Amino acid sequence: MNEASTEQIQMDIIDTIKKLENFWNIYRGGHGLAGYLKVLDQRYYVEFIFLKDFKEPFKFFGPVELQELFSSYFNEQRKRGSLFSIRDFMSGVMRIFNNYCNEHENVLKNEYELIKSNYRIEKINDKIYHIKVILPYKNIYTFTIFFQNYPSIPEIQFDELLSNEIGPFENFEILREWNRLQPPRIVEITNKIKQILLEKIHAHPGFGLVKADKLKIDLKEQTFGSVDFFVFKGETLGIYCLNNKLIWNFFKFLTSNDSFSGKIQFFERPANDRNRICSIIESHVNTEGIENYELEASLDKQAPEIDKKVKSRLIPRVLKACGLINQKKMKLKDLTKGQELRHDIALHALKGYEVLLFSNPELGLNTTEVKKFFDCLRRVNQEFNITILLHSHEESLRSCDRILVMDEKGRQVGFGTLAELFRTFPLGEFDPIIVVQVNKVRAGLIDDLTKVPGLLLMIEERKNEKYHLFFKENHDEKIQIIYDKIGDDIFNLEMSSPTLFDYLRYSQQRKHFESRNN
């Protein structure tokens, strides 16, 4: 390779720096650039030093795999001889870096989604690569995993209870034999921890679950099932179903001893105990006879079976969790509807119910009360390990840990995290759909819509009025075609993200969709 002059290298570096942000000129026995590369939230300092013979061109402090990629790329570029350009080399470095960041982020997302599908977890500082895993068995065991640099060894910390049961993580064989070229999945590490814990405490794997397996129930005029779902203790299961009466009857079954086929499990308890485990929280709370009691005193009055000392300790906790500690001296008759609802949650937490059931609890609440209600649910999840089954509209369900989707006839359509549900969808969770609302349906209008080029699927949301159109690409172009075809008939047209309603209707029409698009 021809040697470049020092002056040419320096000019090339100065020219390159003008086109790069966060880089500056340095000298380390040769002219070069230094700067920071950011991978997710972590910054890595890098130096690229160029000698006249272009040997050993740079120093790098960061992920090993990035240094390997940069070195390989440099060796490839050196073969260009006198055509080697520092500016072109750095442009290539940034392309490699951006590709690495995208691939690395996808790896972390996949690891996060997999462990979320199998365990109760909480993000720490809202980071997908820093999580707390909760194992709700005889005690609540937790540990944290920080895996931002995966496939390098993650940082794992046990809480005191878990460490006392199974010892420090550093002693685990899975850590001593770590191979970053073929690392275990994050969920495999968690599986190993859970397996060792269950052996130590002699617990069943389903100890911390509410689980249904081919559950089938005769609900008066309808059949509910066959249904499969699970939710960990302290999680929220969202239920999306447009048949309110069906879900209400299902909840009534859960608080009864009515017969069923299949299996249903409530933690380690017999299924026939479910009426002592579950309770329906209704939006209207009956306070007749105690309406003049102050909130704090009413909780004491309504839980006579609980020891006085236990109540004196628990009542302030449940009031705080339900956002009512500052209203403890208010009379029940003066509470707003939202406060009444949260008072009822506090009472059930005090009484030790493990599963609370809600159907459309936001009805009649204003925006502020809805927010306080969901803050209350989150806190009773976390502080009392109460499991929530929530039947509601889409916006409320998107924050649930898992979602069960039912059709109007009581048949299961889907179950999983929101990401898992939309993974089976013809579009991604965030790909747009076109929503068309028409003044009225004229002869030939539907035919005009179905003939728009590239249409994957059309779903009718409201009969003869509102339609969801699915296209894979070129949405702006499709909108123009729709306007050209039916412009005079359009009341409103907009682009929107797919909803659970779309998922439900797509799943019902899936065979037709697949045959049309094969």
Side-chain angles (χ1 to χ4, degrees), residues 4-13 27 31 51-52:
S5 69
T6 301
E7 292 78 9
Q8 182 60 45
I9 290 173
Q10 180 65 358
M11 288 177 62
D12 207 357
I13 287 173
Y27 185 83
H31 293 281
L51 309 175
K52 288 203 297 182

Side-chain angles (χ1 to χ4, degrees), residues 296 315-317 319-329:
E296 186 176 36
I315 287 175
R317 284 186 62 205
L319 286 174
K320 185 176 181 182
C322 294
L324 294 170
I325 194 68
N326 294 328
Q327 288 79 34
K328 64 182 181 180
K329 297 301 181 184

Side-chain angles (χ1 to χ4, degrees), residues 104 126 169 214 294 328 348 356 422 428 472 506:
H104 185 62
D126 205 33
F169 181 68
K214 294 182 173 53
E294 292 178 351
K328 64 182 181 180
H348 282 76
L356 300 183
F422 279 104
K472 200 68 176 172
Y506 159 69

Side-chain angles (χ1 to χ4, degrees), residues 34-154:
Y36 288 98
L37 297 177
K38 187 176 180 182
V39 181
L40 296 176
D41 300 313
Q42 196 162 333
R43 294 199 313 167
Y44 296 102
Y45 175 70
V46 294
E47 294 179 357
F48 295 89
I49 309 299
F50 298 97
L51 309 175
K52 288 203 297 182
D53 58 3
F54 291 104
K55 289 180 180 177
E56 298 180 3
F58 63 87
K59 300 174 184 176
F60 178 75
F61 306 89
V64 175
E65 53 268 33
L66 264 179
Q67 178 155 358
E68 292 168 352
L69 288 171
F70 291 159
S71 296
S72 175
Y73 178 65
F74 177 77
N75 291 331
E76 178 187 313
Q77 291 299 301
R78 286 179 65 196
K79 297 173 184 175
R80 299 180 63 195
S82 59
L83 296 176
F84 180 91
S85 160
I86 292 174
R87 184 174 65 181
D88 290 346
F89 170 73
M90 290 302 297
S91 294
V93 162
M94 298 311 294
R95 281 196 305 274
I96 291 170
F97 174 70
N98 289 331
N99 289 338
Y100 169 82
C101 286
N102 291 334
E103 291 172 5
H104 185 62
E105 187 168 4
N106 286 333
V107 167
L108 299 187
K109 283 180 179 177
N110 289 337
E111 293 301 314
Y112 171 78
E113 289 297 340
L114 185 57
I115 194 169
K116 180 176 172 58
S117 298
N118 290 276
Y119 288 92
R120 178 184 165 194
I121 65 170
E122 294 174 3
K123 286 191 281 190
I124 297 175
N125 296 325
D126 205 33
K127 307 300 181 189
I128 62 171
Y129 51 79
H130 195 188
I131 60 173
K132 178 166 76 171
V133 180
I134 301 164
L135 302 174
Y137 299 123
K138 294 179 180 178
N139 292 301
I140 305 300
Y141 303 92
T142 68
F143 60 95
T144 61
I145 311 178
F146 181 81
F147 56 99
Q148 182 178 8
N149 296 323
Y150 184 81
S152 296
I153 299 177

